[in-house]
Amino acid sequence: MDICSWDWGAIATFTGAGVALFISWQWKHQKASEVIANEAKKFIVNLAILQSLQSEIRKIIYESNGYNSANKEIDNFKEIHKLLNDSAIMLGESLKDTAISHYSSTVMAQAIIFEKDIDKYKNGEISLAKIRLIDPNDAKIITDIYIDYALYKKTI
């Protein structure tokens, strides 16, 4: 009969608080995974846009024999590259994964090299054939890593 003498009101308060804390923790975890998934999606889309733009830039320059024909696309490449860089920083700081850090940094460096090579081409320092592109294999590896986060196959 000792059960009858328990303070059920106090027990209910503690139980309710425990459930509230658990729900709060679950919500924070779910929200963090959602933020990472959205940022991973942005990274994947922007990387694909960069790869498409770099091919388009080379094609325009090749077909027109001039750098100035591709000014709009080059400016667009630089703008998308900045967005990609912002996503890479956010994801790198959040996920702390060495594979992500390596391939993300590699792809970002390749985009910078592309921009520098375009400038070298503009200045007559290199030929169009020497302009280096983002390596499709590196882009595929980082895309495959981020797709798991974007599709919630991996969460934080």
Side-chain angles (χ1 to χ4, degrees), residues 15-149:
T15 303
V19 169
L21 285 172
F22 178 74
I23 290 171
S24 173
W25 178 82
Q26 285 288 341
W27 179 83
K28 286 179 184 178
H29 183 74
Q30 180 181 359
K31 191 63 177 174
S33 292
E34 181 182 332
V35 168
I36 295 299
N38 289 334
E39 204 63 44
K41 289 174 200 172
K42 286 181 198 175
F43 186 96
I44 292 165
V45 169
N46 285 332
L47 179 55
I49 291 170
L50 279 188
Q51 289 180 281
S52 177
L53 277 170
Q54 69 185 4
S55 296
E56 186 176 346
I57 290 166
R58 285 190 69 197
K59 180 182 176 201
I60 290 169
I61 292 171
Y62 178 76
E63 289 176 351
S64 69
N65 277 332
Y67 171 86
N68 292 331
S69 308
N71 279 337
K72 183 180 89 176
E73 289 78 6
I74 292 167
D75 289 343
N76 196 11
F77 184 93
K78 290 177 180 179
E79 186 178 313
I80 299 296
H81 181 218
K82 182 180 177 341
L83 295 174
L84 186 73
N85 189 54
D86 292 346
S87 291
I89 290 169
M90 168 65 178
L91 291 165
E93 289 297 317
S94 300
L95 298 174
K96 307 271 191 227
D97 181 316
T98 55
I100 288 173
S101 178
H102 170 74
Y103 286 106
S104 181
S105 297
T106 300
V107 167
M108 296 306 299
Q110 291 168 352
I112 292 169
I113 289 169
F114 175 78
E115 287 181 32
K116 290 187 182 293
D117 283 354
I118 287 291
D119 288 339
K120 286 179 182 178
Y121 172 79
K122 178 182 176 182
N123 296 331
E125 298 171 27
I126 64 172
S127 68
L128 183 60
K130 299 281 184 181
I131 295 175
R132 294 166 285 183
L133 305 175
I134 296 170
D135 185 320
N137 293 323
D138 292 336
K140 170 110 174 76
I141 291 169
I142 193 65
T143 297
D144 288 346
I145 291 170
Y146 282 146
I147 201 82
D148 285 343
Y149 287 99

